[in-house]
Amino acid sequence: MNLTSINFAVASHAGNNVSVNGSRLLNMYAEMQPQDSMVPVVVYSCPGSYKFTSLPDGPVQGMAVMDDLLYAITPRSFFRIDRDGSYTDLGSVIFNSRGCISTNGIHIVAVDGNRGYAYSVAGGLIEMAGEGWYPANTVTHQDGFFIFPRKSTGQFFITNLLSIDLDALDYATAEAAPDDTLAILSDQRVLWLFGADSTEIWYNVGNVDFPFQRMQGAYIEKGIAAAHTAVKLDNSIFWLGNDHVVYRTQGYGFGRVSTHVVESEFLSGDVSTAYAYSYEECGHAFYVLTIPSINRTCVYDVATQLWHERGHSVLGRHNSLCYADCYGKHFVGDFQNGNIYVLDNNVHHDNNDALVREAVAPVLHNGRNRVSMYGLELQLNNPGNPSVSDFSGEHFIDPKVSMSFSDDNMRSWCQERYRVFGKYGQVLQRISWGPMGQFVQRHIKLRVTDPVDFQIACFFAKLEYND
C-alpha cells in the first residue's frame, strides 16, 4: 500500500469549525515554499526566549528605544538598560497599568491612563502636570509634537514643537461622532484617531494656532475595542475593532484580517484589556494579540495572511506584555515580573520552561465512508537540532515527538505515542507509526516539548478508503 500525502495544519482553524476543519498551530507558524519545492508549506517553530535582564520591579509596563539605548518603565521606576543587560534606575514613577511610550529623539514620554512621565538625558525624569495636561491612554509623536487623547472625552491635546511643554489651548475634538477618543497613532505622517465607535484621520496643515486638521471624507464607522491593540505594521495600522474584528488600514480605508474562527474562539468575550505589539523577522511580519480575559495569545502573519497561537506552558498566554527592537535583538517584557527576555529563533524553550509546539491537522475523512489507516509517516526538516542555550547548556539527546488522534471531533484523544526524532546534526528525518484502525473522520495531533528545533515538512498516511 502506497503512502499518500495528506494536508497538515497551516493555521489555527478550530473554533466552531472542528468538525469541518479543526486545525491548530501552537507556537508554530507556516511558511509558503517556492512553486518548484517538494511541498508547498513548511511549518516552523516559533522563537523561544531567554532572560536578558531582571529589573527589581515588575511587570515591565512598556519599553522604548532612544539614541540606540533601551528604556523600560515598571510600576515604580523608569530604567535604562545597557547592551550588557545592566540597568540604571532613572527615577521613581507611579505607573499602574500597561502603558504607551513614544519618543521624538530628545524626550521619551510614557502614559498609563492616569499619569504621564517625560524623560530626557539633559533634563532627567519629570511627571507631566500643570495646565494643559490631562490623563491619556496613549501617546504618539508626529512632526515634533507629542499627541495625546484626553481620557473620557473626544478631545486630543498636543505639546509645543520639539518640547514637552503644554498650552491649555492646544487641543481639538474629533467631531464626526460623539464618542470618546481612546487611542491616537501616527502613521506615514497622518494621525489616526480611534474612538469607541468611529475613527477619524487628521493631518498637519501647518496652522500657527493649531497644526492639525481633520481630513475631509476620511471617516470610518468602526471604533477600537482596546486602546493598546492599535500598532503599526507593514506600512499600515492593525487594531481590534469595537465589533471584535481585527482590521488593518488600507490607504485611508480599512480591511478585515481576522477570520470567523479567530473571532469566535478568541474575540467573542471580554476584550477590553486586550493588547498587542508587532515585530518582523525572517520575512514575516507578526501582529501579536493577547486577550488576558481568556489567557490566550493569537498571532497574525502578514506574509501568509494566516493566524497561529502562541502560549506559555505554565501561564497559558504568551508571557510578553510589551516589545522593543534594540541592540539587534527582539526584547519582550514579562507581564508578571521585571524580567526582560530576548525572542530568539535558535532558542527552543521559554526561559527554561518548556516551549510546547503543537500541530493539529485538519480533519481527515472520506465523506461519510469509513477509512482504514495502516500507518503514518512524518518527514521533518532539520530535526532535533538543540538550542544554543538548552536547560543543561549541552546538546539534548533523543528528543521525542508524540502523536495522538481523535475520532470524536477532538472531544477526547487516544494515548500519546512517542517517537525519537533527529540526533544532533541530522538534516532530514522520517519517523513512522503503525496501524491505527478505522474512522469516519479523524484529527491527528503532533506535540513536542523537548528544547530542540521542530520543523514539519511532509505528512503521509497509508489509507484504504472503504465504500
Side-chain angles (χ1 to χ4, degrees):
M1 185 177 296
N2 295 327
L3 288 169
T4 301
S5 176
I6 61 175
N7 293 330
F8 207 71
V10 297
S12 286
H13 291 310
N16 296 327
N17 298 333
V18 170
S19 62
V20 298
N21 191 302
S23 59
R24 185 188 187 211
L25 288 179
L26 173 64
N27 292 322
M28 304 194 77
Y29 66 94
E31 184 175 284
M32 304 305 174
Q33 303 302 302
Q35 288 186 346
D36 56 352
S37 300
M38 183 177 72
V39 293
V41 180
V42 173
V43 179
Y44 293 93
S45 293
C46 290
S49 63
Y50 64 88
K51 185 167 65 176
F52 180 72
T53 193
S54 185
L55 302 177
D57 177 31
V60 183
Q61 307 279 36
M63 294 188 290
V65 178
M66 185 173 72
D67 293 334
D68 297 323
L69 293 171
L70 180 65
Y71 294 85
I73 194 165
T74 67
R76 293 195 294 270
S77 294
F78 185 72
F79 296 93
R80 186 188 70 238
I81 299 99
D82 294 322
R83 186 178 293 272
D84 61 358
S86 61
Y87 57 84
T88 302
D89 189 332
L90 299 174
S92 297
V93 300
I94 301 175
F95 213 76
N96 292 324
S97 64
R98 185 189 191 272
C100 183
I101 301 184
S102 184
T103 178
N104 62 3
I106 302 171
H107 300 90
I108 296 174
V109 173
V111 297
D112 73 344
N114 292 302
R115 289 181 168 86
Y117 295 88
Y119 170 81
S120 68
V121 175
L125 183 70
I126 64 168
E127 183 172 358
M128 305 285 284
E131 191 174 6
W133 165 254
Y134 307 96
N137 290 313
T138 68
V139 57
T140 192
H141 174 265
Q142 184 179 306
D143 297 338
F145 300 95
F146 286 107
I147 304 104
F148 311 82
R150 183 177 176 181
K151 189 175 180 180
S152 302
T153 74
Q155 298 177 354
F156 69 97
F157 60 100
I158 66 175
T159 62
N160 294 340
L161 182 65
L162 297 175
S163 171
I164 57 171
D165 294 334
L166 297 160
D167 187 321
L169 298 179
D170 281 340
Y171 72 93
T173 303
E175 298 175 338
D179 55 344
D180 291 346
T181 301
L182 302 181
I184 301 179
L185 194 57
S186 172
D187 184 52
Q188 302 182 67
R189 296 197 65 240
V190 297
L191 293 178
W192 290 76
L193 278 62
F194 295 96
D197 302 307
S198 64
T199 301
E200 295 183 16
I201 301 173
W202 290 56
Y203 67 109
N204 189 346
V205 294
N207 288 339
V208 175
D209 292 336
F210 191 81
F212 297 99
Q213 177 177 299
R214 183 158 63 95
M215 185 178 294
Q216 295 300 317
Y219 173 72
I220 298 172
E221 291 187 341
K222 298 289 184 183
I224 191 169
H228 297 299
T229 62
V231 297
K232 298 202 292 187
L233 178 67
D234 193 41
N235 291 315
S236 63
I237 297 174
F238 288 71
W239 81 97
L240 175 58
N242 61 323
D243 55 356
H244 296 210
V245 173
V246 177
Y247 297 102
R248 69 173 295 175
T249 58
Q250 296 174 344
Y252 298 134
F254 68 102
R256 173 174 173 255
V257 298
S258 57
T259 64
H260 293 302
V261 171
V262 168
E263 290 155 13
S264 66
E265 186 169 1
F266 292 93
L267 308 178
S268 59
D270 178 15
V271 296
S272 60
T273 58
Y275 59 87
Y277 63 85
S278 64
Y279 76 99
E280 299 182 23
E281 187 168 38
C282 300
H284 295 264
F286 297 113
Y287 175 71
V288 184
L289 175 63
T290 295
I291 303 92
S293 63
I294 60 171
N295 214 32
R296 296 180 72 180
T297 300
C298 54
V299 182
Y300 180 74
D301 182 357
V302 175
T304 60
Q305 300 181 26
L306 296 172
W307 289 84
H308 63 273
E309 300 174 48
R310 298 194 188 184
H312 191 279
S313 60
V314 177
L315 306 173
R317 59 170 152 155
H318 199 272
N319 58 338
S320 55
L321 181 62
C322 55
Y323 169 86
D325 183 353
C326 191
Y327 308 138
K329 296 178 172 63
H330 298 287
F331 291 107
V332 291
D334 198 300
F335 76 92
Q336 293 189 120
N337 52 50
N339 290 345
I340 295 177
Y341 308 106
V342 176
L343 298 180
D344 192 326
N345 280 323
N346 294 315
V347 173
H348 308 296
H349 57 80
D350 273 329
N351 193 38
N352 292 338
D353 287 324
L355 178 65
V356 177
R357 274 70 48 84
E358 190 172 286
V360 179
V363 63
L364 188 62
H365 68 96
N366 183 30
R368 296 308 300 163
N369 298 320
R370 300 194 69 80
V371 180
S372 298
M373 179 173 284
Y374 294 98
L376 283 175
E377 183 176 292
L378 174 65
Q379 181 172 311
L380 302 177
N381 184 46
N382 195 34
N385 286 347
S387 159
V388 294
S389 55
D390 288 336
F391 303 151
S392 64
E394 300 178 355
H395 297 319
F396 195 84
I397 307 302
D398 293 341
K400 296 179 178 64
V401 56
S402 74
M403 184 280 300
S404 58
F405 60 84
S406 172
D407 295 342
D408 58 2
N409 288 332
M410 298 165 54
R411 292 182 179 88
S412 62
W413 296 86
C414 74
Q415 185 175 359
E416 291 180 304
R417 305 181 185 187
Y418 290 88
R419 294 290 184 271
V420 173
F421 72 95
K423 302 291 186 180
Y424 179 72
Q426 285 185 300
V427 176
L428 190 65
Q429 175 77 2
R430 291 183 175 91
I431 54 180
S432 60
W433 290 267
M436 283 169 275
Q438 292 186 335
F439 61 91
V440 175
Q441 57 184 48
R442 173 171 289 177
H443 291 91
I444 299 170
K445 177 168 65 176
L446 301 176
R447 194 170 190 266
V448 170
T449 60
D450 292 332
V452 296
D453 197 9
F454 183 61
Q455 302 175 12
I456 300 172
C458 303
F459 207 46
F460 301 95
K462 291 182 180 180
L463 301 175
E464 181 178 85
Y465 296 100
N466 305 314
D467 295 330

